[in-house]
Amino acid sequence: MKLKFLGTGTSQGVPVIGCTCEVCLSKDPKDKRLRASVMITADSGKKILIDCGPDFRQQMLNNDERDVAVTLLTHEHNDHVIGLDDMRPLIFKSGKNMPLYCSEKVGSEVRKRFAYAFADEKYPGAPAFDLNIITDKPFTAAETYIIPVEVSHYKTMAFGYKFKNLAYITDASEISQEEKEKLKNLDVLILNCIRKTDPHPAHFILPDIFKLQEELKPKKIFLTHISHHFGLHEIENQQLPRGIELAFDGLELEF
């Protein structure tokens, strides 16, 4: 299987509109971060998208991605779902509804924000989705066994997803001991890390990552959902401890 980071930025993206900090003005492509999303290429060759934010169209074009078999949603915040309308070309090409896998709450929010996609009499050209409500129990999609990992994102419940010995966790501030059992001794653990210091109510910061590394003992941690407050990729990545790296848009992993 393969994982490609389509976006590694926060809800504002990097650069932030109007910001003149050194990160936002950086010419390094690794400091240009679209909203957080990844594409999994399953062993079957089918494509599994995790989250569909406002940069989805550009992410697909940037990476020459042409298909999505199923979409997994982590939670209902706009930077993770608001790009769903841009799936229309894929839906039209396949002639099938796009399967969405998400919690009951996220499914309800999708129905509200994209009510026209679920109307009895649809506007011509509207997208079409099949909602598949999941819990914290494993399920199979796109011929792939997937284990949801429930995390807390301030007062919002979100899902991470585990594939084989890799797990993708974005928008988390706390993980219960029960759910941590799913994350121990992984080959690859992907975690959100919004900045190096100053506690954040809804996201991990770097000291949290160090604690999780010690507790969960993954072989490798990649950080995502990174803000412009973290610093320049070239400098900060070299200063991270062994076994931890900053992800960047376009990075591919095989697992």
Side-chain angles (χ1 to χ4, degrees), residues 75 78 89 91 131 142 184 186 209 249:
H75 63 297
N78 265 6
I91 295 167
L131 281 174
K184 289 184 176 178
L186 295 172
I209 302 300
D249 293 17

Side-chain angles (χ1 to χ4, degrees), residues 181-232:
E181 291 299 318
K182 301 176 182 178
L183 302 174
K184 289 184 176 178
N185 303 307
L186 295 172
D187 289 337
V188 178
L189 176 57
I190 299 165
L191 293 168
N192 64 297
C193 185
I194 198 165
R195 57 197 182 210
K196 292 188 296 181
T197 58
D198 299 327
H200 193 286
H203 291 278
F204 292 135
I205 61 172
L206 199 52
D208 300 320
I209 302 300
F210 296 156
K211 291 177 184 177
L212 288 168
Q213 182 187 36
E214 182 177 352
E215 183 178 359
L216 301 177
K217 295 179 170 48
K219 292 180 181 176
K220 194 80 171 182
I221 291 177
F222 287 92
L223 305 182
T224 190
H225 209 286
I226 301 162
S227 78
H228 62 150
H229 296 297
F230 200 105
L232 295 166

